[in-house]
């Protein structure tokens, strides 16, 4: 090819042009069976770029920090802080602005850690490749190259070249253990099998062979026998291949790039929904306070600091601190106890909200190896001798043919037979060939004879056996039934031949005596069955998305106690309702996960291969084991120390504990704050003075918020762990409205007590006495709310309060003692007469009874958190 010729454009393997002959592909890529010259390769490298995966840019920390300011809740807090500063309420402004900064710093740090991509994506990409390159003096036209495309001349020796320098049109050699460095088409092959599990989820090696003109294939590109893809590895055999695609155009790179990164998580959606509920209240509160005081009391802008303080009093200012503490403790506990690493703290909350867990079968429910199920004779009866013949054939083929390692089925035979081959003496071996799909070992038989031990695909073994047509059809039908039941089959046959010295060939594999079948199933993960039961008990529905054959997937599910009755293949109209979806491509998995999320579910996905990356990125929570391929591990938000479903169960429980504590904080603080706001609005209209000074409102909020830090250390009741913890704004609003009204009624009752009991010839100013009395009553009612509205604590459960009880006691002590201290005087809170405490004690007792009764009603009707107890509710 002349140096001024434009580089050819490659086509996607498995798409258009797959029916082209080898000659046509060589001509299209303007290459030869002996490869390109160095000059041609250099020119194409400049045109196509290096054979490397595209890198993902990370967003700077500063940009992430600024992005955090766009959060609606943070934005409103920031605006309230600026308004407070404008009206010289410096204490309120400093506290609000400090919390805004802390919130944005925590968010930016977590997102930067989650978004950081790594060069470990190249773990599945070969570092070097054995490339054939022609000398520059041997330039040949494409037509002449085509004449050699059928093997007229064997290419010369290959040289190791950095895989990054591969270009379309290069010719490479593949050997056992090699990583396929690009998407290639086989020109020659000998017994070639490749592992494609990282791309397709298929656990067994796939036979590949060179085809001059490929036939039509109903499956996807990975089923094409003449194509190999980047990310797969050579299990056995060898081959020479033409490079079709490199870099970002490979299937490997496209699988990583499918779909955008997941949208808002369950945690983000919950917080955003709650924020907008609060925003509506906060935006309405200051104007209402100002207008009401101006209209009824003649007070104008002097009430603005109080109006801002009331609006701030409604906000859960400590939410970022509570969230970070709850999730941080849960994540560190998971890492210590179970080796589970949570890369992004909100993902732990999302784990607690998961109600659907999707996972691949291979390597998750099953191990990456088959095990022998049974050995059957031709009549379908158990036949241990069939297993011994098959194991002896595997042993001697492995040793005499000098194979680098046994394939997965042979390993299973040797494990099951446990030395049964020792009674045989090997003579010769014909290793497995993906064309004839057989492997044969020759052992010494009776005196003067050799015995051929043949094993392979049932239809190929039966074809070479001396059988009546009807018998052959019967055995083929039996094999089909076993395969439909999810078992792999190996046919076993023998033949006695006179002993000889000359080599055995495939021509000797004729006139065989059929002995039976050996059936295999996927080895189950030892903890999978119990883990699935535990997850189901927690209200998590397990869905299997696998690239395997439907029968294989169904068999594994039945062995684990799952009902695969509603199994579907990918693309079926009702695939979202199926327990098992087979024949899934990476795009199918991502589509199903996205569909479940769109239906209102919180979805987790467990995967470990390149084929799982799109689904990992589409799920609310992506989960990968530590031994997963690097690209999957980096796409996940949760990394397991081991591929063990019990670790996910522990992680879900930890997420629900953290989520339950966060939900408790929101319910307690918002219901209490709402009651205080309603009472303050009413008092502002009824009293000739402000019901509480802005500094006193701020001090009260700080005391309450500090006490609520104890919720980060609380342990929710066990029933909180039996269902997903999802914060729904509508349910939360119903909850806080009900309990907030009760709190407001208690406050208004306190007003009545104060109006009746604290008037008379008292030297104390009425306004100061009112401020002090209501300050004390507010902290006492908030202490009661903390004890009585704890997450999931049934009223019948006589549990010790723990850290929450201690915090509530401390809060009550502050309310009682602060007015008699010098700090109380600085805040304008005088000491109160003893009669007040007796009267307020009566009010608080009635308030506790009312709170108890309303909560009991909620528990009977909705469950404690205001949600239906039915686990099937989306």
């Amino acid at each position: 090819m002349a140096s001024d010729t434009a580089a050819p454009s490659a086509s996607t393997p498995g798409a258009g042009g797959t029916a082209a002959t080898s000659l046509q592909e060589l001509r299209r890529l303007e290459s030869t069976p002996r490869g390109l010259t160095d000059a041609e390769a250099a020119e194409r490298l400049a045109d196509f770029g290096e054979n490397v995966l595209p890198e993902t840019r990370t967003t700077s920390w500063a940009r992430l920090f600024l992005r955090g300011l766009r959060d609606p809740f943070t934005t409103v807090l920031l605006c309230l802080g600026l308004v407070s500063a404008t009206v010289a309420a410096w204490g309120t402004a400093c506290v609000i602005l400090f919390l805004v900064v802390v919130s944005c710093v925590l968010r930016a740090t977590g997102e930067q850690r989650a978004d950081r991509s790594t060069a470990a994506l190249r773990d599945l990409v070969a570092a070097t490749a054995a490339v054939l390159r022609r000398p520059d003096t041997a330039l040949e036209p494409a037509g002449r190259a085509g004449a050699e495309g059928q093997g007229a001349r064997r290419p010369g020796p290959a040289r190791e070249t950095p895989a990054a320098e591969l270009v379309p049109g290069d010719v490479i050699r593949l050997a056992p253990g090699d990583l396929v460095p690009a998407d290639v088409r086989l020109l020659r092959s000998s017994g070639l099998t490749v592992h494609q599990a990282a791309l397709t989820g298929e656990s067994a090696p796939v036979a590949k062979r060179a085809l001059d003109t490929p036939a039509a294939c109903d499956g996807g590109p990975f089923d094409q026998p003449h194509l190999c893809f980047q990310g797969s590895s050579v299990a056995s055999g060898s081959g020479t291949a033409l490079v079709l695609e490199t870099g970002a155009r490979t299937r490997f790179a496209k699988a990583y790039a499918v779909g955008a990164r997941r949208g808002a998580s369950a945690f983000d959606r919950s917080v955003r929904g709650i924020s907008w509920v609060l925003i509506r209240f906060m935006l309405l509160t200051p104007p209402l306070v100002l207008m009401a005081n101006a209209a009824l009391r003649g007070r104008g802008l002097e009430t603005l600091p109080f109006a801002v303080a009331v609006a701030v009093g409604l906000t859960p200012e400590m939410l970022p601190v509570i969230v970070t503490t709850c999730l941080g403790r849960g994540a560190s506990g998971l890492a210590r106890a179970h080796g589970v690493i949570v890369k992004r703290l909100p993902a732990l909350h999302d784990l607690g909200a998961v109600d659907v867990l999707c996972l691949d079968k291979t390597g998750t429910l099953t191990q990456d190896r088959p095990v022998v199920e049974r050995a059957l004779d031709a009549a379908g009866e158990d036949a241990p001798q069939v297993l011994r013949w098959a194991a002896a054939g595997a042993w001697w083929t492995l040793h005499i043919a000098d194979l680098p390692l046994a394939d997965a089925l042979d390993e299973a035979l040797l494990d099951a037979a446990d030395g049964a081959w020792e009674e045989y003496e090997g003579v010769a071996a014909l290793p497995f060939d993906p064309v004839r799909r057989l492997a044969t070992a020759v052992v010494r038989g009776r005196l003067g004879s050799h015995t051929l031990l043949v094993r392979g695909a049932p239809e190929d073994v039966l074809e070479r056996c001396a059988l009546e047509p009807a018998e052959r059809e019967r055995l083929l039908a039996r094999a089909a039934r076993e395969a439909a039941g999810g078992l792999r089959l190996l046919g076993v046959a023998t033949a006695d031949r006179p002993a000889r010295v000359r080599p055995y060939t495939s021509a000797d594999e004729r006139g065989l005596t059929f002995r039976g079948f050996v059936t295999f199933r996927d080895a189950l993960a030892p903890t999978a069955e119990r883990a699935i039961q535990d997850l189901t008990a927690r209200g998590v529905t397990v869905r299997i998305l696998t690239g395997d054959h439907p029968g294989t997937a169904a068999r594994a599910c039945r062995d684990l106690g799952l009902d695969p009755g509603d199994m579907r293949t990918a693309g079926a109209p009702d695939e979202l309702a199926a327990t098992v979806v087979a024949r899934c491509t990476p795009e199918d998995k991502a589509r199903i996960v996205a569909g479940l999320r769109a239906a209102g579910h919180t979805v987790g996905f467990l995967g470990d291969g390149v084929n799982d990356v799109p689904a990992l990125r589409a799920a609310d929570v992506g989960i990968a084991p530590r031994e997963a391929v690097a690209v999957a591990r980096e796409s996940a938000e949760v990394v397991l120390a081991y591929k063990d479903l019990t670790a996910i169960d522990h992680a879900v429980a930890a997420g629900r504990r953290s989520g339950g504590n966060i939900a408790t904080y929101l319910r307690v603080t918002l219901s209490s704050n709402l009651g205080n706001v309603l009472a303050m609005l009413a008092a502002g209209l009824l009293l000739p003075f402000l019901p509480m000074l802005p500094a006193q409102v701020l001090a009260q909020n700080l005391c309450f918020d500090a006490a609520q830090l104890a919720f980060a250390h609380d342990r929710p009741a066990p029933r909180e762990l039996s269902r997903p913890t999802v914060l729904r704004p509508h349910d939360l609003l119903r909850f806080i409205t009900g309990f907030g009204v009760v709190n407001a009624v208690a406050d208004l009752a306190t007003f009545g007590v104060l109006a009746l009991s604290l008037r008379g010839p008292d030297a104390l100013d009425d306004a100061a006495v009112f401020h002090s009395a209501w300050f004390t009553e507010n902290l006492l009612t908030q202490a009661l709310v903390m004890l009585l509205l704890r997450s999931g604590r049934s009223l019948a459960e006589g549990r010790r309060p723990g850290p929450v009880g201690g915090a509530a006691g401390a809060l009550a002590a502050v309310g009682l003692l602060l007015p008699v201290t010098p700090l109380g005087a600085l805040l304008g809170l005088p000491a109160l007469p003893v009669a007040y405490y007796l009267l307020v004690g009566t009010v608080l007792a009635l308030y506790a009874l009312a709170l108890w009764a309303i909560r009991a009603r909620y528990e009977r009707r909705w469950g404690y958190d205001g949600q239906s107890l039915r686990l099937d509710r989306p």
Side-chain angles (χ1 to χ4, degrees), residues 326-327 330-331 333-334 348 351-352 649-659 721:
C326 288
L327 298 180
L334 274 177
L348 184 60
L351 270 173
D649 180 62
H650 293 309
V652 168
R656 292 185 180 178
R657 280 191 289 269
S658 299
L721 308 183

Side-chain angles (χ1 to χ4, degrees), residues 376-381 383 386 467 471 474-475 478 514-517:
L376 309 171
D377 60 18
E381 302 295 329
V386 173
L467 294 170
E471 177 66 6
R474 184 185 69 82
L475 292 171
R478 173 178 290 277
F514 183 73
R515 297 300 186 180
F517 299 112

Side-chain angles (χ1 to χ4, degrees), residues 489-645:
L489 272 76
L490 197 67
V492 180
T494 65
D496 291 326
R497 300 282 189 265
R500 73 189 194 201
V501 177
R502 62 185 176 85
Y504 286 87
T505 67
S506 58
D508 295 298
E509 298 169 334
R510 299 289 177 183
L512 307 177
T513 301
F514 183 73
R515 297 300 186 180
F517 299 112
V518 179
T519 63
F520 302 82
R521 59 174 173 81
D522 287 335
L524 299 179
T527 59
E529 183 174 3
R530 177 59 186 272
I532 288 176
Q533 293 173 356
D534 292 341
L535 287 168
T536 302
R538 295 194 190 281
V540 178
T541 302
V542 177
R543 303 278 177 87
I544 313 300
L545 310 181
T546 178
D548 265 346
H549 185 279
T552 305
R555 176 67 186 225
C557 290
R558 284 194 295 269
D559 290 344
L560 290 167
L562 286 173
D563 181 12
D566 55 352
M567 183 177 64
R568 299 290 185 271
T569 55
D574 53 349
E575 63 183 3
L576 294 183
T579 301
V580 181
V581 184
R583 292 300 191 195
C584 284
T585 65
E587 294 83 358
D588 292 329
K589 293 180 181 181
R591 186 190 67 251
I592 293 170
V593 168
L596 290 169
R597 290 186 68 194
H601 296 284
T602 302
V603 183
F605 184 87
L606 172 64
D608 63 349
V610 179
N611 62 315
D612 297 321
V613 169
L616 285 168
R617 300 174 71 186
D620 287 288
V621 188
I623 310 168
R626 186 172 57 187
E627 62 268 25
V629 300
V631 64
R633 196 168 57 245
E634 291 304 316
S635 297
E637 295 181 302
V638 177
V639 178
L640 311 179
Y642 306 99
K643 189 183 288 186
D644 188 345
L645 285 181

